[in-house]
């Protein structure tokens, strides 16, 4: 399994990252996820993303490795941005390439669920009234339950 | 009992509220995360508010998520931060 | 919900189709799926994809509309190729844009599951020994069960 | 009983085996897909093999998936084909 993990201030290109994964003979399915700065109607001006350098890369590497143990994956790319982001800008890119569609979909959701709970990123939203740290959602923690093995 | 030195890092909202991003502390060898938290709560004020039980926080030891019962190794890098909100 | 459905011989560009969806203020998540001609080790030379013109577009439109009723979606794009395809070529592209990650993932899998069972495409594989129609897999039909409502 | 005319289309492996991509048939009004299939099975040979129960096939009426009990409307476009394999 080829793994690419990057944390960066610069924007990323879905097309460029996809081109690096899709050409392999054994790949039958690629699932991509892009998270973007969404407008809460009329309210949001942008956001700042902080992270814990070192731990971020380590946690993302562990999450991707766990996905690779559960499903047959050819390649996984995770790119997460930090710093200042404006409305509609891209935040995170995940690409999962596999021989099989179901494996690619399941691994993608697994990686995003764990990223949301265990990768040390924090969002601070900027609105007309100032800046405020985003509170974690209970639903993100609850999403991990679906991956617990019996 | 012998003592050890650890680094403690604070991130995001916790760093803002505590006005501290990093400090070095001496703890007895064998101390757990719970012991560290008790030491911080004893400082009172915002420290007691944040770590005294009223608010949720997360901890990492040497860049792995850790629970309060875990023993902190010597020279560890401990981080305390709010629940994460990336993705 | 903006819906784009195309059946074509020409290749498609994930980047171009993505650019058309991702810039909307209300979009927080885009899930993309690309299916590719996968090599069954050393065996496959390529494939031919046949379809039922008219019914294909109608069925894809109904499947996407059903997804739009179940989840809050901003835009959906489906591009499916027909004709001769070589190894590693792209077969199908699905893009789903939504405010929410879970909706985008669920709708993507729903659309692919129904496409696999109800959109009239047929694959004929070419190998060193000749050409043979691909048999449908029971697992594709079984996948629909997860979407049945109680 | 009045009769009606329908078009029947064959796709993919079925078209190859039956060496027919399209034909026009007269059926009694009110005929169902099952009636059409019985008519085809009565032709014998590959028609009986394909539609007699040994092999799985799918049907559409006017470009919607249809079950054998469905009544075929006049001037319908009926399609018979193997289970689909796109995506």
């Amino acid at each position: 399994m080829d793994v690419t993990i990057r944390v960066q201030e610069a924007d990323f290109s879905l097309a460029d990252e996809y081109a690096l994964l899709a050409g392999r003979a054994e790949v039958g399915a690629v699932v991509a996820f892009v998270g973007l700065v969404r407008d809460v109607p009329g309210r949001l001006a942008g956001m700042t993303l902080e992270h814990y350098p070192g731990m971020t890369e380590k946690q993302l590497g562990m999450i991707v490795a766990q996905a690779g143990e559960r499903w047959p994956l050819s390649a996984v790319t995770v790119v997460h941005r930090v710093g200042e982001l404006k409305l509609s800008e891209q935040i995170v890119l995940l690409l999962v390439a596999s021989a099989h569609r179901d494996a690619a979909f399941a691994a993608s959701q697994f990686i995003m669920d764990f990223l949301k709970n265990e990768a040390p990123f924090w969002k601070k939203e900027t609105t007309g009234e100032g800046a405020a740290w985003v509170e974690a959602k209970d639903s993100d923690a609850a999403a991990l339950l679906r991956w617990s093995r019996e | 009992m012998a003592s050890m030195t650890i680094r403690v890092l604070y991130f995001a909202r916790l760093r803002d509220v505590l006005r501290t991003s990093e400090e070095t502390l001496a703890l007895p060898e064998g101390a757990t995360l719970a012991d560290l938290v008790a030491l911080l709560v004893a400082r009172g004020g915002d420290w007691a508010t944040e770590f005294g039980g009223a608010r949720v926080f997360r901890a990492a030891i040497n860049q792995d998520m850790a629970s309060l019962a875990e023993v902190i190794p010597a020279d560890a890098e401990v981080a305390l931060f709010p629940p994460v909100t990336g993705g």
Side-chain angles (χ1 to χ4, degrees), chain A, chain B:
Chain A
M1 180 173 64
D2 290 337
V3 177
T4 302
I5 291 169
R6 296 202 313 273
V7 178
Q8 62 189 38
E9 293 201 7
D11 198 9
F12 52 77
S13 159
L14 168 61
D16 292 351
E17 304 297 340
Y18 172 73
L20 293 172
L21 272 90
R24 299 144 201 260
E26 83 279 9
V27 172
V30 176
V31 169
F33 173 80
V34 181
L36 302 116
V37 180
R38 175 171 69 93
D39 195 13
V40 182
R43 204 175 65 78
L44 203 66
M47 60 170 58
T48 308
L49 260 148
E50 175 178 333
H51 78 127
Y52 178 179
M55 179 168 171
T56 318
E57 294 82 353
K58 185 177 181 183
Q59 292 303 309
L60 292 174
M62 286 169 54
I63 294 167
V64 171
Q66 282 164 24
E69 283 167 20
R70 287 181 79 139
W71 295 280
L73 307 180
S74 295
V76 176
T77 298
V78 183
V79 184
H80 203 300
R81 293 178 68 194
V82 292
E84 306 281 331
L85 296 178
K86 289 191 279 288
L87 265 190
S88 295
E89 279 202 76
Q90 302 183 126
I91 303 171
V92 59
L93 169 68
L94 169 66
L95 280 167
V96 175
S98 173
H100 304 290
R101 176 170 53 104
D102 281 346
F105 268 117
S108 297
Q109 289 177 279
F110 175 94
I111 292 168
M112 286 308 303
D113 281 350
F114 278 87
L115 183 156
K116 278 265 176 190
N117 281 282
E118 299 188 352
F121 293 99
W122 300 273
K123 287 179 182 140
K124 193 178 200 171
E125 288 182 345
T126 313
T127 67
E129 292 108 56
W133 291 100
V134 175
E135 298 271 330
K137 286 186 293 230
D138 290 343
S139 59
D140 286 333
L144 292 190
L145 294 177
R146 63 176 136 173
W147 305 112
S148 61
R149 302 179 194 251
E150 294 183 1
Chain B
M1 195 192 290
S3 91
M4 63 181 181
T5 301
I6 63 166
R7 285 171 69 212
V8 186
L9 312 181
Y10 305 92
F11 287 97
R13 196 188 56 74
L14 271 179
R15 182 203 52 231
D16 286 359
V17 169
L18 303 172
R19 289 177 296 270
T20 311
S21 63
E22 179 173 347
E23 63 180 315
T24 301
L25 289 178
L27 284 181
E29 273 182 23
T32 63
L33 265 180
D35 296 329
L36 168 61
V37 168
L39 181 155
L40 299 177
V41 169
R43 291 175 176 176
D46 289 329
W47 299 88
T49 308
E50 294 297 338
F51 299 118
R55 302 205 59 142
V56 177
F57 63 92
R58 297 280 181 269
I61 299 177
N62 291 329
Q63 306 189 347
D64 285 319
M65 301 295 285
S67 60
L68 288 178
E70 284 185 49
V71 171
I72 305 173
D75 302 316
E77 175 178 298
V78 175
L80 299 170
F81 45 77
V84 304
T85 56

